[in-house]
Amino acid sequence: MLQLFRELADGAHMSAEDVYKLLMDQGDDIGLATVYRVLTQFEQAGLLTRHHFDSGKAIFELSQGGHHDHLVCMECGHVEEFCDETIEKRQDAIARERGFTVSAHALYLYVECKRENCPNRRS
């Protein structure tokens, strides 16, 4: 199952249902409950990271070290990763100004694609 995340394009974000469908398409005989259980075990082991984007369902990605943030398209659900050092520094400064130290954070920007020929847009 972990191999699916490694084989797909860098930064693949998949729900348990996505993983289940891919495994079924490969002819694997596995239950959805087992997929959920294994994904949770991979998360607990630090191999996968779980996100809860606006869709309400958990999305998993391969933990590759290093921090990044996400752009989440509200039209099709496509997720793009980005890292911006200015944003990171500003978040740290805001926390410090208020007497805090950032130990972890997640930044999700919910966006609408403006590209004419977006390959992810639903017809």
Side-chain angles (χ1 to χ4, degrees):
M1 203 175 306
L2 192 58
Q3 192 63 26
L4 283 177
F5 286 90
R6 291 183 175 139
E7 290 172 357
L8 294 173
D10 286 339
H13 297 79
M14 295 188 291
S15 68
E17 292 83 4
D18 296 332
V19 172
Y20 175 73
K21 288 176 189 170
L22 286 170
L23 291 170
M24 295 301 289
D25 289 347
Q26 292 179 359
D28 292 327
D29 185 24
I30 189 168
L32 184 56
T34 300
V35 171
Y36 275 105
R37 186 172 50 255
V38 171
L39 291 175
T40 298
Q41 290 170 344
F42 286 161
E43 177 194 12
Q44 291 170 344
L47 302 171
L48 294 178
T49 301
R50 179 188 308 244
H51 298 283
H52 294 279
F53 299 135
D54 203 39
S55 67
K57 63 181 174 181
I59 303 293
F60 296 86
E61 71 175 316
L62 202 55
S63 295
Q64 299 177 340
H67 173 75
H68 62 265
D69 298 308
H70 297 88
L71 296 165
V72 181
C73 181
M74 296 301 292
E75 293 181 32
C76 68
H78 175 71
V79 178
E80 287 190 24
E81 299 174 353
F82 74 96
C83 188
D84 185 299
E85 201 54 41
T86 303
I87 292 173
E88 299 303 314
K89 288 178 182 175
R90 186 67 189 126
Q91 290 174 127
D92 288 338
I94 290 168
R96 201 170 38 256
E97 289 166 4
R98 290 164 173 77
F100 298 98
T101 301
V102 176
S103 59
H105 83 276
L107 176 62
Y108 307 135
L109 298 177
Y110 296 99
V111 299
E112 293 178 10
C113 181
K114 298 299 179 191
R115 291 177 275 196
E116 280 287 318
N117 298 316
C118 175
N120 304 301
R121 187 172 289 136
R122 295 181 195 130
S123 301

